[in-house]
Structures are given as C-alpha cells and as structure tokens.
Amino acid sequence: MASSTLASASAEPRPRLRGELRRRPAFAASGAVALLVCVMAAFPQLFAGWFGGGDPRSCDLVNSGLPPAPGHPFGFDIQGCDLYTNVVYGARSSVLIAVLVTAGMILIAVVLGSLAGYFRGWVDALISRIMDVFFGFPALVGMIVILQAASAHNELTVSAVLILFGWPVLARVMRGSVLETATSEYVAAARGVGAGTARILLRHVLPNSFGPVAVLAGLNVGGVIASESALTFLGVGLQTPAISWGVQLNTAQQYFSTAPHLLLFPSIFLTVTVLSFVLLGDALRDAFDPRLR
C-alpha cells in the first residue's frame, strides 16, 4: 500500500508549463530579448563589429565625447572609444554577475532552506535567526561598506557581496515550501518503505519544493543586474578598466550636460535588459501559480 502510494505520488502531475507559457505573449517577447542579451554577453564580438570597428579598447582622444556620426551610431565616450562597441561589451559583466549571483543564492537557499524546513527544531531556529539578522540589516549600507573595504572590485567580488545579502529571501521561500512538502503523503510513504533522509530530500522533497524558488530567482535576475549597475554607479562596484553599463553611467554623470549620449545609450540597454528579465520571471511565476491559470 505504501509503495503504491509512493509511486503515484512520485508521478504527480506537474504543471504543463510549455503549453502554458506559449499562451503568454509577454513570455515570448521578454524571453527573446533576454536570450539576445545573453548571446550578446557571451559573444560580444558578433555584435560589436556591426559599427565602430568592434574593438572596445581602440580609442582616440581626438574623438572624445563626440556625438553619434555615420558608422558610429552611439557616438564616442570620453576616452574617444566607440560607445556602441563598449555598450555591447558592457553586457558581459552584467550578465556574468547576474548568473553568478543567481546560482550562488539558489545554492545557499536550497541547502539551508531544505535543512531548516525538513529537520525543524534547533536547526530551523538557528538558520531562521541567521536569516533574521540579514533581514534586519540595511542591505545597501552593508554592500557599500564591504565593497569600500575590499581591495579588488571585479565580477567575483561584486557577486559575492550580492549573494551575501540576497540569499535569505530565497532561503525563506525554500524553507516554507519544504515545510509544506515534508508533511505530504508521499513523503510519509517514502519513510514507511524505509527510504533514508538523503533519498527523501533528493528524490521527493527538493523536486516538489524547488518551483517557487526557481520562479523567485528568475524574478531577481533583473534586480541583480540593476543592483550591480547601481553599486558601480555609486563608485563601489566594478571599476575601470572593467567594461560595464554601470561604469559607463558612472563616467557619464559628469558629462551629461555636454554629452548626453554617454548616459542615454547605456541607460536604454540597461533598462530594456532589466525589464525583459523582470517580465520573463513574472511570466514564469504566473505559469507556476495554478490560481492564475
């Protein structure tokens, strides 16, 4: 009886996301833009060569701050580099940090959230109090202080700081999802047939608890890109010679009145990228939520 219950529970109908997402135009549009940005970040040379020569380090001070011109649709930055090429290459740092931060937050959230939700007791109390400490601390202030004290300001440093202050939200969602899943019939059936803790967690609890965390992580990708750009704009994130939208915006603020194109084009790329990832995560959330179908 227990084995049949376990078998039927393991084969529980999962949401048919493919058909559900196809009926959502926002998913197709935002997914196409997000995919394009990811391809541009992975292979910037494929896009940078369309205008301006394709080399972000090829600069001439004679062209410093010049507006858009034939062959250079975005104009030149303050160093005389082609701005279009630099904006294209700027996607690499933003997307790389978004991937590293999202993967790191998911890993920590899944481990700690699963332990807290499944074992409960003192394990849950300890992990929950740690999360409460982070929830009660102003994240922006903490990130600025740590990055100010850091000796290096590269993608790994910025990613580590964003992970440090970002994992508790996902961990709390994972904990709540595991708490609900751990009391289900198929988990009780698995215990009844003698399955070990590791097998129950990996085969039954995690697959049925991960959905909300995956959706929230997708929603957070756009926020991670915006946070990285904001920290860099404030002067504590990535720094030159790194090429990123945040670095370009940080430099452009000094020359906005005389060369507004320096601020305009990186801002457009940043806004469109963040909006596409937010809409993509929103579509995934709606598809996972049965109440919205």
Side-chain angles (χ1 to χ4, degrees), residues 3 16 35 51 66-67 99 101 152 208 211 213 215 217 220 234 249 264 289:
S3 59
R16 300 193 176 187
L35 178 61
F51 306 100
L66 291 181
V99 170
V101 172
N208 291 284
V213 176
V215 172
N220 283 346
L234 293 173
L249 294 175
L264 176 62
D289 193 340

Side-chain angles (χ1 to χ4, degrees), residues 52 58-60 62-84 259 261-262:
S58 178
C59 310
D60 189 344
V62 174
N63 300 321
S64 176
L66 291 181
H72 304 278
F74 290 6
F76 297 87
D77 65 14
I78 204 64
Q79 298 296 328
C81 311
D82 181 71
L83 186 58
Y84 167 79
H261 64 283
L262 298 180

Side-chain angles (χ1 to χ4, degrees), residues 32-254:
V33 174
L35 178 61
L36 179 63
V37 171
C38 291
V39 173
M40 185 170 66
F43 307 101
Q45 63 275 11
L46 298 180
F47 300 85
W50 293 356
F51 306 100
D55 185 0
R57 305 293 185 185
S58 178
C59 310
D60 189 344
L61 287 175
V62 174
N63 300 321
S64 176
L66 291 181
H72 304 278
F74 290 6
F76 297 87
D77 65 14
I78 204 64
Q79 298 296 328
C81 311
D82 181 71
L83 186 58
Y84 167 79
T85 303
N86 276 267
V87 168
V88 169
Y89 273 84
R92 171 170 286 180
S93 294
S94 296
V95 172
L96 175 60
I97 289 175
V99 170
L100 291 176
V101 172
T102 301
M105 289 194 304
I106 288 177
L107 179 61
I108 296 174
V110 167
V111 173
L112 296 184
S114 299
L115 293 176
Y118 186 81
F119 292 104
R120 307 181 193 180
W122 68 268
V123 177
D124 184 18
L126 176 61
I127 295 175
S128 295
R129 297 298 76 77
I130 295 174
M131 289 190 288
D132 289 340
V133 170
F134 282 94
F135 283 127
F137 194 85
L140 180 59
V141 174
M143 287 187 282
I144 291 176
V145 170
I146 294 176
L147 286 172
Q148 284 277 28
S151 57
H153 292 78
N154 51 37
E155 287 87 352
L156 293 178
T157 305
V158 175
S159 297
V161 172
L162 290 172
I163 291 171
L164 177 63
F165 289 94
W167 69 267
V169 176
L170 295 183
R172 177 154 290 182
V173 173
M174 186 68 189
R175 171 187 174 274
S177 186
V178 170
L179 280 173
E180 182 179 357
T181 304
T183 58
S184 59
E185 294 182 357
Y186 54 88
V187 172
R191 292 195 189 98
V193 297
T197 300
R199 180 180 177 85
I200 293 174
L201 280 172
L202 295 177
R203 293 290 300 274
H204 304 292
V205 175
L206 291 183
N208 291 284
S209 305
F210 185 66
V213 176
V215 172
L216 184 57
L219 281 168
N220 283 346
V221 171
V224 170
I225 295 176
S227 298
E228 176 272 320
S229 298
L231 291 172
T232 302
F233 178 79
L234 293 173
V236 296
L238 299 178
Q239 296 178 353
T240 53
I243 301 176
S244 79
W245 294 330
V247 171
Q248 292 160 11
L249 294 175
N250 178 269
T251 303
Q253 64 178 323
Q254 307 173 44

